[in-house]
């Protein structure tokens, strides 16, 4: 008679793997968003600048990044980028979770240029008279943009930026191709170790769905609280 079933411990281990993958996916999303948002704001300001070379540089960044698939970005930053680094920097990268670091770099750039286009639309939605009024009050162009134009543009851009955040959350699943131990990687690991395909991928599916719906619900609440009014 068997009094102890080792599969009980294994089930707990599989659960831990899935939870660890979910946590890493959330961390990748948060870290990428923190980098992508200011990057998007900077590129949007470049694209709306009155200085032609800055506009050209902004357009080059956007078109050069968003027209390359995220998968290609991930593979470049993970396999090619470390080879361009000095030996000491490469060793430091390899000693500090290179899969997660390279995933954050790739997703930050990819999401950042898409956010830039949303913020640029928000900037265009702000009446030009707002900037002119700020300048007439004695603010320099930089202060007028930072204190008057950009806050209004970001507020108008919140709904599409939240949609981009949903895309960013779902895009973390692609990081499995470079070995980042995020949710899809761990679900596949559980399936390989236990053949529990239904449980592993149902957990992953429900996790992606739940977080996506929470972000979408936040966007809905924001739109109800701050409806976009015509200028």
């Amino acid at each position: 008679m068997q009094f102890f079933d080792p599969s009980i411990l294994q089930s707990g281990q599989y659960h831990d793997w899935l939870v660890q993958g979910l946590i890493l996916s959330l961390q990748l999303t948060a870290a990428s968003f923190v980098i992508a948002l200011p990057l998007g704001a900077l590129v949007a300001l470049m694209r709306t600048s009155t200085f032609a070379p800055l506009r050209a540089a902004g357009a080059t960044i956007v078109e050069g990044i968003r027209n390359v698939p995220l998968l290609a970005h991930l593979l470049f930053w993970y396999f090619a980028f470390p080879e361009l680094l000095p030996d000491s920097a490469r060793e430091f990268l390899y000693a500090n979770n290179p899969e997660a670091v390279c995933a954050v770099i790739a997703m930050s750039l990819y999401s950042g240029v898409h956010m830039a286009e949303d913020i640029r639309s928000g900037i265009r939605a702000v009446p030009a008279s707002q900037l002119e009024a700020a300048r007439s009050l004695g603010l320099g162009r930089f202060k007028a943009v930072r204190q008057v134009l950009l806050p209004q543009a970001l507020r108008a851009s919140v709904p599409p930026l939240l949609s981009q955040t949903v895309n960013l959350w779902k895009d973390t699943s692609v990081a499995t191709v470079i070995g980042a131990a995020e949710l899809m990687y761990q679900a596949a690991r559980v399936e390989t170790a236990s053949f529990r395909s239904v449980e592993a991928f149902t957990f992953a599916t429900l996790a992606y769905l739940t977080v996506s719906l929470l972000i979408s619900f936040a966007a809905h609440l924001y739109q109800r609280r701050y409806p976009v009014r015509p200028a």
Side-chain angles (χ1 to χ4, degrees):
M1 180 180 296
Q2 184 176 0
F3 294 97
F4 175 72
D5 184 0
S7 66
I8 296 175
L9 287 180
Q10 292 175 346
S11 297
Q13 182 183 38
Y14 300 148
H15 173 268
D16 292 343
W17 289 354
L18 292 171
V19 172
Q20 290 167 10
L22 174 59
I23 292 172
L24 181 58
S25 291
L26 291 170
Q27 291 173 334
L28 292 175
T29 302
S32 299
F33 180 84
V34 167
I35 299 172
L37 184 59
L39 173 64
L42 176 61
V43 174
L45 290 174
M46 292 172 65
R47 295 213 66 186
T48 56
S49 172
T50 57
F51 188 49
L54 268 183
R55 290 200 308 274
T60 300
I61 292 171
V62 170
E63 299 303 329
I65 293 177
R66 74 175 179 178
N67 288 307
V68 176
L70 177 58
L71 177 60
H73 283 290
L74 286 164
L75 295 176
F76 170 81
W77 287 103
Y78 185 67
F79 290 107
F81 172 68
E83 299 302 318
L84 304 176
L85 296 175
D87 292 341
S88 57
R90 188 186 311 123
E91 291 173 4
F92 179 81
L93 174 64
Y94 286 152
N96 291 276
N97 199 350
E99 295 83 7
V101 172
C102 294
V104 168
I105 294 173
M107 292 190 298
S108 299
L109 293 174
Y110 192 75
S111 295
V113 297
H114 287 85
M115 289 182 179
E117 293 300 279
D118 293 330
I119 297 172
R120 183 164 72 107
S121 298
I123 291 174
R124 288 182 170 179
V126 178
S129 58
Q130 295 284 323
L131 195 57
E132 295 170 0
R135 296 296 301 276
S136 68
L137 291 174
L139 292 178
R141 180 170 179 82
F142 177 75
K143 279 192 174 182
V145 168
R146 181 171 59 87
Q147 298 180 6
V148 178
L149 177 63
L150 197 54
Q152 295 184 69
L154 286 173
R155 178 174 172 176
S157 304
V158 165
L161 287 176
L162 286 172
S163 295
Q164 287 297 339
T165 306
V166 173
N167 293 332
L168 176 59
W169 159 246
K170 293 185 292 186
D171 284 344
T172 59
S173 61
V174 186
T176 190
V177 300
I178 60 172
E182 43 69 59
L183 184 54
M184 283 304 298
Y185 178 95
Q186 296 288 21
R189 184 184 178 193
V190 170
E191 193 279 333
T192 301
S194 67
F195 300 103
R196 296 182 179 181
S197 307
V198 175
E199 295 93 330
F201 291 112
T202 297
F203 179 92
T205 300
L206 291 177
Y208 285 117
L209 178 62
T210 301
V211 176
S212 297
L213 290 177
L214 287 174
I215 298 172
S216 299
F217 183 64
H220 174 70
L221 290 179
Y222 182 89
Q223 287 178 302
R224 289 190 60 183
R225 179 67 178 84
Y226 302 104
V228 178
R229 297 181 175 89

